[in-house]
Amino acid sequence: MRLCVIGSGYVGLVTAAVFADLGNDVACVDVDEKKIESLNNRIMPIYEPGLEEMVTRNMDEGRVSFSTDVDSGVKGADVIFICVGTPPKDDGETDLSYIESAARTIGERLNGYKIIVNKSTVPVGTGDLVRRVINETKTTDANFDVVSNPEFLREGSAIGDALNPDRVVIGAPTKEVAVKLLELYATLGSPMLITDVESAEIIKYASNSFLATKISFINAIADICEKVGANVNDVAKGMGADKRIGKDFLNAGLGFGGSCFPKDVLSLIHTSGKLGAEFSLLKEVVKINEERVNHFVHRVVDRFPDVGSCTFGVLGLAFKPDTDDMREAKSIDIIKQLTAHGAKIRAFDPVSMDNAAKEMPDITYCDNAYDALTGVDAMIVVTEWREFKLLDMERIKGLMKTPVIFDGRNVYDAGRVRSAGFEYFSIGRG
Ligand code: UGA
């Protein structure tokens, strides 16, 4: 099939690469000339395992192209995927200006029947908005249909998630339109769900908000565990063994960050408020999440009342492992709070330090974890990169000024680090 993907951000780029890999002819277009130029030079704008290899292979074999030529992209396609950003406004409402602009772009160039697919995360009713804008701007009598096909991939495992989704959700105005789009996914052999457009739009927000709720729930349980000397990891294991609950997304820690959960939860709160149904449960989810870092920093300050004269070694800066994304990363909040007290920071992250330096230019970035921990008063683990689990604890003890660990992601076995001579603070583990 001939596809056009509008937007070469996270979702757009992965969508273009994966559909090309499945044998389609994909034109990925973006207004950002610099991004397109670097993609054409085979430089990926994001760090995502396996992406560069898949993109370059499909470029070499002529199945995917990157350009700013929206005109040919739209006119030459049977199916157009809208994959533009949907950032939050100050009050949590989703800013749909990029979606509206993509819809106008399509309307002005509609030269025959096309299926327009909303893959961006958009509030319920956006399918309608896209249809209205295209109808207002089109200059021919060509027909079109608007479909909602939410994306559930995670950063860091985007390619695997896109090739092996738990489900493909298609919200379409008719079964015939849904079936046409399903053809694109047929080879994946994943479970498919056909719904109306509005239900598909809600599935995306409900899924992200539910996962965020699971995280805040286990973090609230972690606080109880901490007070009574219980172990939240064991509690999560015991809960997760019940298939109705499920073991995933029950890792207690510093809370959820990234470009999706924080904004999507706020957007759903906003949407339900607008509809007169206050979603107080989700408001509490946000509140619990926002308290995580304060609680963690308090523990550091309790242990080091002279925090202003301390240096901390921070391991992990990205909002989660296997990505260089710093959006809503907990490291920013933690480091800003500690430096506001006068503390110095030595930090290391395997891939996000360039992005981190834009946000926090005044801390010391180190070559590796051992370098970051040299001479520091305490180690602070913020992101659970696999390589941090395998550090040589004896060596670290020799490098640090005082052997104290604050583990914000429960990376280490408490018994092991304590018997190695460390004072160890973790989340919800006594
Ligand atoms: C999330 C969803 O998982 C995807 O399904 C969805 O497609 C995506 O948002 C999106 O809407 O685009 P992502 O933001 O990449 O994916 O990352 P997750 O792996 O979901 O993690 C989100 C945050 O929750 C991270 O800060 C992570 O550290 C935190 N988390 C996750 C926990 O604190 N505990 C857990 O048990 C799991």
Side-chain angles (χ1 to χ4, degrees), residues 226 294-304 406 424-428 430:
E226 233 160 77
N294 299 340
H295 178 66
F296 187 72
V297 172
H298 274 145
R299 294 178 80 192
V300 177
V301 176
D302 272 355
R303 170 62 184 78
F304 291 97
F406 294 92
Y424 183 63
F425 299 86
S426 60
I427 305 289

Side-chain angles (χ1 to χ4, degrees), residues 87-164:
K89 295 183 188 170
D90 287 344
D91 62 354
E93 185 178 11
T94 300
D95 177 355
L96 292 173
S97 54
Y98 298 112
I99 294 276
E100 282 192 58
S101 147
R104 266 195 304 278
T105 299
I106 296 166
E108 285 158 2
R109 294 162 179 82
L110 200 73
N111 58 340
Y113 177 77
K114 294 177 200 298
I115 298 180
I116 320 300
V117 187
N118 259 337
K119 222 178 209 324
S120 303
T121 299
V122 287
V124 60
T126 306
D128 245 6
L129 170 77
V130 168
R131 197 164 36 77
R132 259 197 333 269
V133 173
I134 297 178
N135 268 326
E136 279 162 20
T137 46
K138 70 178 188 167
T139 53
T140 65
D141 59 0
N143 285 327
F144 67 97
D145 282 299
V146 177
V147 169
S148 166
N149 171 216
E151 181 52 68
F152 300 103
L153 60 79
R154 291 162 299 174
E155 292 187 21
S157 54
I159 300 287
D161 288 347
L163 286 172
N164 191 19

Side-chain angles (χ1 to χ4, degrees), residues 152-155 204 208 249-251 256-257 260 319-320:
F152 300 103
L153 60 79
R154 291 162 299 174
E155 292 187 21
K204 171 69 190 188
N208 275 5
F249 280 70
L250 287 179
N251 293 324
F256 56 83
C260 306
F319 86 91
K320 68 170 194 176

Side-chain angles (χ1 to χ4, degrees), residues 10-11 121 151-157 161 167 204 207-208 211-212 214-215 218-219 247-264 289 318-321 328-330 382-384 409:
Y10 228 104
V11 171
T121 299
E151 181 52 68
F152 300 103
L153 60 79
R154 291 162 299 174
E155 292 187 21
S157 54
D161 288 347
R167 76 297 207 189
K204 171 69 190 188
S207 301
N208 275 5
L211 291 170
K214 265 186 115 172
I215 297 169
I218 200 65
N219 282 332
K247 62 180 174 20
D248 295 330
F249 280 70
L250 287 179
N251 293 324
L254 297 167
F256 56 83
S259 65
C260 306
F261 285 0
K263 89 170 164 65
D264 293 351
N289 197 52
F319 86 91
K320 68 170 194 176
E328 301 271 339
K330 296 298 171 187
V382 180
T383 316
E384 65 277 32
R409 299 288 179 183

